Amino acid sequence: MRWGKPRDGQNASAGKVAVPGFLSGLSGRILALTVAIIMFAEVVFFVPSLASMRLRWLDDRLSTAAAAATVIDGLQPQVLPRALQDDTLMATGTKAIVLRKDGTSQLLAIADMPPEISNTYDLTDVGPVEAVVDAFDELLFGGGRAIRVFGYIGDSDAIIELVISDDELHQALWGYARNIFLLSILLSTFTAMLIFFRLNSMLVRPLRRQIANMQAFSEKPDLPENVFHPAATTDELGIAGRHLATMQVELQRTLRQQKRLAELGLAVSKINHDMRNILASAQLMSDRIAGIDDPVVGRVAPKLLRAIDRAAAYSRSVLSYGQVSEAEPKRQMVSLCDLINDVHDYLDLSADVPIEWINRVPEDLKVDADPEQFFRVVFNLCRNSVQALTQQAGERRDSLNCLIVSAQRHGSVVSLSVDDTGPGMPQKARENLFAAFRGGVRSGGTGLGLAIARELVLAHGGTIALVEKAGQGTLFRIEVPDRPVAFESWRGETETGA
């Protein structure tokens, strides 16, 4: 899915995602899956029920024949007349009835022509698998066959044996299967529709609502009314909806911020253009002032010239900040103590706010850094501290306002600390530390100073971090390593020294 407006010459509808239809979408898949699952359950139920129905049918025939056999057995030793045998066989639906009792077998009734037996079924011990196999054999291949069936008469040891035609059994099984199939279709359709409508209301509709919102938001992400309004539920869809709404709100905030940055960049470009002209005029005037033979002018003029040069350099780099990263540092060994004193001269430490400035940097300590870029880093940190101390002095007259800059070398790494006794950094600034336009230390601040400082320190291969301290105030620590010395350069210096 593409965000924002389509490019020139591109159809706006090309960014839309077509919502699938009922049958081809999630709704149709849920319906088909529900029907398939229910039909599978019906098939699982149908297989043992068909076997059970066949066994019940055969048991009924055995029970009927057993009742007739008991009556006939009581007439012994008389021989049952032929006509009565035929009536008995017709009433029980059999072709022959055999009674086994006390180790003997007695043929009670039989048709004129004994049929050819196709299968024999022992109902005294039938396993579940055997019952299922026999049921489907009868359903698929039965009809027109004579089968022999025998089983116990009640709880006695007597066994009744029948020879019957499987035509009625075959028809009964097919009728049962047809009824079960129609009933299964009816129940599965009804159950599937109930499940489908419930799942559709719980799952599909909320998903379609989210999809429609995402399409509308992708077309016009800047409109507040296009932000998704999630349902107040605790399920996965509710959680997803709330995350979607949060993401859209953050995206709108980012788009607004980018728009403001674009407008700010245009304004800065216009200001920068005029500022460079003004600074060029200021440089010409400062050059003329430097030529005046006056001790005070001679002492102040160099600092004024350096300030104007730095302002001109900053003005030239303003536009490049929004386009590319800072220029590669031009590193050299710089006296860190002199650089800190230079920072002190440019800080607004007025007499109205008594801020104690302490420089604990050793005079012989040097750092391998770009002097202009490292000056900007230290100046940004110290200026933030001075502003915090000034605000604290205005609120509390008895506050301790002290700014301490210290440094030391650990092998090839120089560690610089900027420590103040101000009110400390706000929690919001800590959460967005070194983030431009979000990590402002004071109210109304942009956070650009810390963002620029971090970028410049990283360009030197160093680190900058906010250090937790026991007392009041803010402590930043910068660590800058020396550049590695090439082997050829080191060997040349060694040979020269030798």
Side-chain angles (χ1 to χ4, degrees):
M1 180 180 294
R2 294 186 293 271
W3 295 92
K5 298 180 179 180
R7 295 174 298 201
D8 296 340
Q10 183 181 6
N11 189 358
S13 62
K16 297 182 179 179
V17 177
V19 178
F22 177 81
L23 294 178
S24 61
L26 186 60
S27 301
R29 295 182 181 181
I30 291 178
L31 180 60
L33 180 62
T34 306
V35 172
I37 292 176
I38 295 178
M39 289 301 297
F40 176 77
E42 292 291 342
V43 170
V44 172
F45 167 77
F46 170 75
V47 171
S49 65
L50 183 68
S52 177
M53 182 267 174
R54 170 183 169 274
L55 291 178
R56 287 196 306 270
W57 192 92
L58 294 176
D59 283 335
D60 291 341
R61 288 292 186 275
L62 286 177
S63 299
T64 303
T70 303
V71 174
I72 297 173
D73 184 56
L75 299 176
Q76 299 299 327
Q78 297 181 8
V79 179
L80 194 67
R82 179 76 255 174
L84 188 56
Q85 290 187 26
D86 293 339
D87 293 340
T88 302
L89 294 174
M90 183 181 298
T92 58
T94 60
K95 296 183 179 297
I97 301 176
V98 178
L99 178 63
R100 299 178 184 177
K101 185 175 67 172
D102 299 331
T104 62
S105 298
Q106 182 180 359
L107 181 62
L108 301 181
I110 188 171
D112 293 335
M113 294 296 295
E116 181 181 355
I117 305 301
S118 299
N119 292 311
T120 300
Y121 302 109
D122 182 7
L123 299 187
T124 59
D125 184 17
V126 182
V129 177
E130 181 183 0
V132 171
V133 172
D134 292 341
F136 275 92
D137 176 72
E138 182 63 37
L139 178 68
L140 300 177
F141 307 108
R145 301 185 302 181
I147 59 176
R148 185 165 65 95
V149 183
F150 59 91
Y152 289 109
I153 300 177
D155 296 332
S156 64
D157 294 334
I159 296 177
I160 186 71
E161 180 179 338
L162 306 178
V163 176
I164 61 177
S165 174
D166 69 341
D167 291 336
E168 293 185 15
L169 177 60
H170 180 71
Q171 294 176 2
L173 287 178
W174 269 110
Y176 179 82
R178 180 176 62 254
N179 294 336
I180 290 294
F181 176 75
L182 295 177
L183 183 61
S184 299
I185 292 295
L186 180 62
L187 290 178
S188 62
T189 302
F190 179 73
T191 307
M193 293 303 295
L194 290 180
I195 297 176
F196 164 74
F197 284 121
R198 185 56 180 164
L199 289 178
N200 191 61
S201 62
M202 292 177 58
L203 182 63
V204 179
R205 289 181 182 175
L207 284 177
R208 286 179 175 269
R209 181 168 166 260
Q210 290 187 10
I211 293 173
N213 172 264
M214 287 187 287
Q215 288 183 343
F217 187 84
S218 64
E219 295 174 0
K220 296 181 179 180
D222 55 334
L223 295 181
E225 56 269 21
N226 284 343
V227 175
F228 184 71
H229 299 284
T233 58
T234 58
D235 56 7
E236 288 79 359
L237 286 175
I239 296 174
R242 287 189 286 275
H243 281 294
L244 176 61
T246 302
M247 180 188 66
Q248 291 176 345
V249 170
E250 292 295 331
L251 180 59
Q252 285 188 346
R253 185 181 295 111
T254 302
L255 292 176
R256 288 194 298 268
Q257 188 180 62
Q258 289 181 349
K259 182 179 179 181
R260 288 197 298 267
L261 288 177
E263 295 173 350
L264 177 62
L266 179 60
V268 169
S269 300
K270 296 178 181 179
I271 296 173
N272 182 71
H273 180 271
D274 296 335
M275 183 63 69
R276 283 185 296 176
N277 296 331
I278 296 173
L279 290 175
S281 301
Q283 283 180 322
L284 293 176
M285 295 178 64
S286 61
D287 290 339
R288 295 179 182 178
I289 294 175
I292 299 176
D293 188 11
D294 185 274
V296 177
V297 173
R299 186 174 64 256
V300 176
K303 296 182 179 181
L304 177 61
L305 288 175
R306 288 200 300 272
I308 294 177
D309 290 340
R310 284 196 176 98
Y314 295 165
S315 179
R316 288 191 298 269
S317 63
V318 165
L319 294 179
S320 63
Y321 178 79
Q323 298 173 357
V324 295
S325 59
E326 293 280 349
E328 289 293 329
K330 300 177 181 179
R331 304 179 67 168
Q332 60 187 40
M333 299 306 294
V334 181
S335 174
L336 188 55
C337 182
D338 293 341
L339 187 144
I340 300 303
N341 290 330
D342 202 11
V343 169
H344 173 262
D345 294 337
Y346 284 91
L347 291 174
D348 184 16
L349 300 178
S350 61
D352 297 336
V353 181
I355 298 178
E356 183 180 1
W357 167 271
I358 301 177
N359 183 359
R360 293 180 179 174
V361 179
E363 295 183 357
D364 59 344
L365 180 59
K366 293 187 177 182
V367 60
D368 186 8
D370 185 314
E372 291 298 327
Q373 292 187 1
F374 205 71
F375 175 89
R376 293 169 62 186
V377 173
V378 180
F379 180 77
N380 285 335
L381 296 179
C382 292
R383 182 183 57 186
N384 288 343
S385 297
V386 170
Q387 290 173 350
L389 292 172
T390 302
Q391 180 181 357
Q392 177 179 258
E395 297 173 354
R396 296 174 50 193
R397 295 295 180 181
D398 59 342
S399 61
L400 176 62
N401 304 317
C402 183
L403 176 57
I404 304 173
V405 181
S406 59
Q408 53 185 336
R409 175 176 286 276
H410 302 283
S412 61
V413 178
V414 173
S415 177
L416 173 68
S417 298
V418 178
D419 187 7
D420 65 61
T421 59
M425 183 168 290
Q427 182 62 30
K428 182 179 179 181
R430 290 173 178 267
E431 295 174 355
N432 300 282
L433 197 62
F434 306 118
F437 301 101
R438 288 188 298 171
V441 176
R442 69 185 189 282
S443 178
T446 62
L448 277 174
L450 291 178
I452 294 175
R454 178 177 181 273
E455 183 178 352
L456 294 176
V457 170
L458 292 179
H460 283 75
T463 59
I464 179 173
L466 175 66
V467 181
E468 297 293 336
K469 53 183 297 187
Q472 177 181 333
T474 304
L475 171 60
F476 277 95
R477 179 166 296 149
I478 304 171
E479 294 181 348
V480 177
D482 295 340
R483 288 171 296 173
V485 179
F487 178 74
E488 292 78 6
S489 176
W490 174 83
R491 184 171 60 181
E493 293 179 357
T494 304
E495 294 175 355
T496 304

